Amino acid sequence: MLSSGSVTVRASSLLRPFFRCRSFATMKPSVYVTRPDVPSVGIDLLKEKCNVEMWSECKAPPYDELIKSVAGKNALFCNIADKVDKNVLDAAGSSLKVIATMSVGFEHIDVAEAKKRGIKVGYTPDVLTYAVAELTVGILLATSRRLFEAHREIFNGGWTSWSPSWMCGPSIRGKTVGIVGFGRIGQETARLLKGFGVKQFLYSGRKDHPEASDIGAVRMPVEEMLPKCDFIICALAMSPETKHYFNERLFNLMKPSAIFVNTSRGGVVDQDALIEALEKGKIRGAGLDVMTPEPIPPDHRLLKLPNCVVIPHIGSAGIESRNDMAELTARNILNALDGKPMPAEL
């Protein structure tokens, strides 16, 4: 027990969750947010019970800045561009109780080290599933029907008149679509594509998915699947096991007419092998929302390939999904600080 004048406090009470024992504004827990443009629904929730400090620029704070700013904070609101490693956790010190990332991916966080220190980690699964699946369909169409390539022709003088064979690309109707990584996003993408008259869905993975029968998808080893596919969609999570999963060997198994789409993580693809496959005509084209590095330099080889559509990692950038992600991230923080179960804890 600790005594001060006539006030006696049990030491154990100091360990209670923040909101159950702190009532004055000056005693509010502190949260560091690594972007100023987080949708207001999330920030407003945090400000009701926390002191919120935000990085001032709409890009990742420099590593040294993150280390400096997280010191003494009780919570960190971050995203996939923020590297939260042992050094950051050391700088935060024992006051840090929760890390919440506004993403479904969490490879940027040293989760094992955080757990070792008793720091809770939250993420945002499910709420971005539809948005990413929707964009996957969009980039598949943009690649197969050569939308970006055709758009450029307007400005470089290539559009001179209507021509029967000019800017033609394969339709989705009647084709075979293979999905590698048949989780929430892979399944939702298949559901959306059913309306385009796909002939057959194939998927690879370590287990059967009960949802596959409703979609009409058949599981088979990736080596057997790829030669059968007209479109290959990568929806793999990033992990040490999936790094460079799509490599020269797998690209060599694809049809010369195949189109490859990746909206998961750039690191699951051996990018040099993909570039070679595109340059040598081993595959027809590729559509990428993710790549390495991010952001990609404007003079990168990928951007010089007419048969490669590249967009800047905007898979979850639906207004509704980003609002939901911000709210879920905030609720992960608030619940963790209040000693309640987090809506989405790793």
Side-chain angles (χ1 to χ4, degrees), residues 9 34 50 66-67 87 111 187 207 217 227 230-231 247 275 298:
V9 181
T34 61
C50 303
L66 178 59
I67 285 177
N87 292 333
V111 177
Q187 291 169 27
K207 62 178 182 179
D230 302 293
F231 298 95
N247 52 27
I275 291 171

Side-chain angles (χ1 to χ4, degrees), residues 244 246-247 251 266-278 288 290-293 296 300-302:
H244 289 183
F246 279 95
N247 52 27
F251 286 120
V268 303
V269 175
D270 180 339
Q271 206 156 263
D272 289 337
L274 172 61
I275 291 171
E276 180 182 351
L278 291 167
L288 309 174
V290 290
M291 65 289 309
T292 51
I296 193 168
H300 196 280
R301 285 171 67 194
L302 274 176

